[in-house]
Structure formats: structure tokens, C-alpha cells
Amino acid sequence: MEGAAASGEFAAVLRRLREARSLTQEELAERSGLTAKAIGALERGERRRPYPHTVRSLADGLALDDGDRAALVAAVPSREASPPPAPSSAAGVFPAAGVSPAAAAVPSPAHVPVGPGTPLIGRDGELAVLLALVRSGTRRLVTVTGPGGVGKTRLAMEALRLAAPGFPGGARAVDLSAVREPKLVVPGIAAALGLPDEVGLDPLDALVPHLAGLRMLLVLDNLEQLTQAAPALAGLVARCPELVVVATSRAPLRVRAEHELVLGPLTTPAGDDVDAVASSPAVALLLDRAAAAGSPTAVTAADAPALAAIVRRLDGLPLAVELAAPGLRLLTPPALLTRLERQGPGAGPRDLPERHRTMAAVLEWSMDLLEPEEVALFERLAVLSGGCSLDAIEAVAGEDADVLPALGALVDQSLMLRVPSPDPQPRFRLLEPVRQFAMRRLHASGLATATADRHAAHFHARATASAVLLEGPDLAAELDRLDADHANLRSAFLRLLELDRDVDAAELAGSVWLYLALRGHAREGLAWLERIGPGASDVARCRALAGRLGLQLLAGDTASMLRDAGDAVALAGRVAEPTVTCEVLTLAGQAAVFAGALDDADALLGRALAQAEAAGRRWVAVHARLARCQLALVAGDLATAGLTLPETVRAARAAGNAFTLATALNVHATLTELLGDEPATATLLGEAVALSLAARMSWTLGYALPALASLAQRVGDPVSAAWLFGAGASISAADAVDPTFPVSRALSDRGLDATRAALGDEAFAREWDAGRAASGAEIQARAAVVTTRAGGGRSA
């Protein structure tokens, strides 16, 4: 075929053969195991000298006879006319003195860049682990796994750069992103190393003699679509004892030789203060890339909360952070946060691969690796916020089919992450940028409404079932479970409001009000309950009003409690369900106690106790008795309180509910403080603090700490007193806990004044600030010091 080797001839021959068979580029790509993009490049002449294995794949895909196959091969320009490749950098292959002849036969391939020239931020630990594995030689097939955009390639390339001097046989990166057929992985490695194509030999058998004598490092990038090539890679490593392979993949290879290094998102700030934000790796990356885009940004007190919120919104995913950072060139951090909440991060630099220029491109790449049922599950998981348990996944899937196979595929591809769980049931989570992508696909599929409805129904049932658990000995574990599902409860509540399902919305919020109170969400809970629509039934409104009264009691909003208590009592008179009304009456009675309306309180608490006992609501009955003890304390009737409180504490202990017991201990400690019994007070408060810290109950801790601080002052430890007052104030500010029971408030105010007088303003402020910054463990330790000093230790 005269002139066949001329420039562009291969492109013309390939196009003619494809069109003669009425195939599109996409169809040929599927048949040959290549990409449509690669075939387009060949037909446009952009790739003038395809490798032999590529030509064979094209010939197979076209089903060519011997004559046409020969014509296609003849159209490939001779490689002998090509100039020799340039010497490599440190990332190339360097045959060294003393290397075996077989090793020296490996030609030096052209330089491949090993990184984008930007600093690797926040990965010091992972990089150290990867370098240790690579250099030790004990793990010779290391797969760096993680979700798309987490920085697998960047980490591997940095390890390649740093480890290259220790590999006299060379260090080389092979990008496999364009390869779709597992059988082409080994030929692709050979081609990247510049090795000749060995006709008639198995590709692995042909490659091994060239690498068997080399101490060489290979980075195989983007293997997730080629995991079926894992046995061949394991065989390559086994037959080349000095070869070390680092692979990057969204899914592990699942071979015995593999050591998986899971790469997670960057750490986001634990708080919103300047120090916490400035020390966050995710924020450091955001600011570094913002500076590169022309907008140097420092962490200021004003911007710290918004910067923290930006990286949390992006779940610390490095690519998402990098894509968002240039927005700081035009927008303030709060404005960028608002924009991200509407539409997500934008497009990245032009030198990024096309599949990494947007989060959508990254994730569409992952969709191509999934089966239809896996894609369908992925899209439906978008309605789950902040993580979910397996039963929630089954609920939103909406089908009776087993979701485990599809879920396993999503986990393998790092689309769904396994996260810590508060109970034995496994939990999973979509990173927020991934969830937003899934939500867009879910809306496009037309299934968003039905899936959101299933989600709302599941978490309505979840919330109402939790009410019983919150009243029993399983309180702390249930609080942890509800904490894990907080975002799902919120979105379910909002969905119920959208659907005007006022009864269900009232039931959901009313069922979890104690969780919201104890775990620092009182303000959010009150906002929920204010939105209950007029369509709620009287019973549902009773549940909602109980929640409002409980949260107002926590927040010390006596005026609102009295107002709503009147409505609640009137409503309770029309509802013939004592299991519901007893709780409303108890809280209304407490409102009257706190407001000093003692006659009203006595009547309401009497009705509440009778209804609770008749309905079998043991938890409510104990709290009604505690409220009557508080009534006696406000009335100054210490004799009655002294008779009833020990018995009530015993009933609370028997019930096994940590909140009930801690509340009873706090009320009893108020009595013993009034009686001047410091050892008893110390014992009671010490146990209340321990229970509150163990179950992370800010409400009871907010009452116990000021009382313990007053005790510290009385036993001659004003330093600990100021410190504990500061710790209590921090909880009050963060969790809306305002300890306004009149008797205990008067006692703590008196102790606060005495402590400030004993220390002076400067020393008091110093200890107060230290207490405000204290951890739970530090609070427990300081409480132990005070209780011991006060002679505590007797059983309450």
C-alpha cells in the first residue's frame, strides 16, 4: 500500500474501515475496549503512531479480515523515524551501573510530570505511611483508595517524587484513565515504559523479563475501571521481586498481595474560633488555592465561622475545596458559602484532566463504573443527610430487593463511606458534594418526590419510636443514635411541613424534644415547634406543646412557659388520652413552680401525677414527684422536701434513666445545700456531674456545675469555684441552658458573688476563662477534687 506510512494515512484508513462497517466512534470504542475520545484523536491524526496493542484492539473491534488487518498495520508510521526520547527527570527510568542486561534493555521513557507544582497540604501522615510502605519493600502492591477528588493521585505522585532516588531501576507513573479494557493494562504498562510489543507472547510473559531484575517503582493511576486486571498485577509483582507498585483506585483490587491505604477527606475545623479554623488542613488548602487565584486570605475572627462552614459544606474533599477556592477572589467567605449552598463549587484550572475539572465530571466517571441498580440506589441515597443506617437505606430504596449488593458496590467505589456507628448497626455516608450530585440526578430521574416521602415516613416512625427509649435505661445510647440521625430528622420534619402533614410533623418534633434539650439543640427545637401548622390534631398539638414547655423550661423562658402552659392545660382538658396529657400537665405545673404560682402548681402536679400513674407513664410520674419537691423547696417547706426527696431519688434510680436520676440528684443537692450538709451535697453533685458527662446531657450539667462551684467556694477553694462557674457558663451559652429554678439560682448567685470577692476580678476572670475552655475530662477531674475536699462519697 504505497504511501501508507505518510502522515495522517492511519487516520484515513481507520475512518474508512469504520465507516465501511457502519459503526460510530462510540460503537467501535465499545467493541475495541478503547474510549471514543481516543478513537476520535486517532481519526483526526492527533495520535499518529498508535501502539501495536491498540492497533490489534481496533482490528478486533472492526472484525477485519487478514487483508484489511494488514492494511491497518501498514498504515502506522514507522517508529524508527522518531527521534529518541529525551532523558527522564527523577520520575523517569534510570538504568544504573551494575544493573542486569535485561534491566538495561528498558529504554528511558519520556518525562511524565509527577505533580501540579502545588504544595501537598494536610497529608503529612498519609504521605509518611505510604513512603514507609514503598521504601520498606515488605508491601509491594499498595492501593491508595478513596472517593473521587480526595487526592489519591496527588499523594501517589508526591510519594513517587520523594521515593524515586531509592529505586535505581527507575520510578515511573502510568496514567490508565483512558484504558477501559482490563486486558490492556499490562500492554499499557509496557507501552508507557517504551518497551517493544512482543508479538505472539502473553503480555505479562513479555513484560516480566524486562522488569524482573529491576528495583523499580511504578505508580498505576486510575485503576478503578480496571479492577479485573488485579490478578495480572498480582502476578507481575510476584514474578518481579524488586518491583513496587502503587495503584490509585476508587475501589480496592481485592488480591492477597494488596495493602490498601484508605485516603479520607481533609480534617475540617472542630470549632469556629480563629485558632481551630487556622489549624484546619481543609481551611489551609482553601486559603492556599485562593491565594494562588490572586486572593490572599487570612483567617480573621469575622471570617473564621464562614471559612469553617465552607470546608464543612464541602466535607473537606480536596478537589471540591480547590474548585471553590477561586471564588474568594470575587466573594467574601460568607458570600461564597451562600453560593455554594445554592450551586456547589465551580470549574477548576484548565490544566486539570477534563474528568477532574468539575465535581460533576469526577462523579460521572464513577457512574460509568456502576450497574443500573447501583446507580439507582446511589441516586436515592441523596435524600439521606449526614449519614444513615442500613434500615434507612432499605427504607428509601423503596423495594423489597436486597440492597446489600448494590450498597457494597458503592462502598467499593468509595461513593458511600462506612462511618463510625453509635450501635452495632453499620452506618454509611455520602460526602456532601457527592450527595448534591446524587440529588441532581435524583431530580432528573423524576423519583425525588417519592424518595423524599419514603425518607420522611421512615424518620417519623424512627422519632416516635425513640420517645419510649428516651424515658428508659437506654437513654444515653438512644441520644447517640438520634445525634447520628439529627440531619435526617431535620430534613424529614421539613418535608412533613412541605406536605402539610401537621400531625406527623408535631409527632416527630414532640417525640424528640428531650433529645433536642439534652444535646444542645433547644433553639432549633423551639424553631421546629413554632412551625407546626393548624392541621395538627388535639393529641398531636398536646405532644408538640409538651415539647415547647420542656425546651422553654431548659432555656429559662418563664414568660413563654406561662403563656403556653395556659393553652396546654386548656387543650389537655379536651384530650382524653392521659398518656399524653400527663406530660403536658407536669410541665405546666413546673412552669407554675418556676413562676411562683404555687397554688396553681400544686393543683396541676396533683392531676399530672394521678394521670401518669393511671396511664403507666412511670417516667412522667417520677418527674411529677420531683416537681412537687421543687414546689416544697420554693415554698420553704424543707420538712416536706426532706421526707419526699430521698424516696424520689430512689424511684429515679430504680427507673434507670440517667436524665431522671441526674435531675433528682440536683434537686436533692439543693435541699442538702440549704441544710448546710456539705458532704451530702458533694456526693449528690459528684454523681450528677458524672452521669451528665457520661451521657453528654447539657441540661443537668448546666444545673450541677454552678451548684458544685458554690460548694467549692464554701469549702475554701475559690479557684475551683471560679473555674467551675466558667465551665457552667460555657454550657449555658452553647446549649441554651439557663438554670432558673429560683432556689438553686439564688444559691449559685450567692456563691458567684462570694467567689469573685474572694479572688478579685483579675484572678476570677482568669479561672473563669480557663473553665469555659475546659473539656469534659477536665470537668470530671476538677469535680472529683471538689467533692473529695467537701467530704463527699456517701451513697445518695
Side-chain angles (χ1 to χ4, degrees), residues 433-523:
V434 179
R435 194 182 74 82
Q436 292 173 347
F437 170 80
M439 183 62 79
R440 288 192 291 272
R441 289 184 63 104
L442 182 64
H443 279 288
S445 74
L447 296 173
T449 298
T451 308
D453 288 350
R454 286 194 293 271
H455 174 275
H458 175 76
F459 283 99
H460 167 262
R462 171 80 182 82
T464 53
S466 74
V468 174
L469 298 174
L470 291 172
E471 296 179 7
D474 199 34
L475 168 74
E478 186 62 13
L479 290 174
D480 289 343
R481 288 189 286 264
L482 291 171
D483 247 352
D485 273 326
H486 186 123
N488 283 310
L489 292 168
R490 180 191 299 119
S491 58
F493 176 77
L494 295 175
R495 177 61 180 165
L496 293 172
L497 291 181
E498 288 176 6
L499 298 172
D500 293 325
R501 287 167 55 181
D502 297 336
V503 170
D504 290 340
E507 288 177 347
L508 188 154
S511 295
V512 298
W513 77 264
L514 184 59
Y515 153 68
L516 296 168
L518 294 179
R519 287 292 172 87
H521 306 296
R523 296 182 185 91

Side-chain angles (χ1 to χ4, degrees), residues 131-148:
L131 285 172
L133 291 168
V134 166
R135 289 167 172 164
S136 71
T138 57
R139 300 290 186 178
R140 294 190 301 107
L141 176 55
V142 181
T143 308
V144 182
T145 64

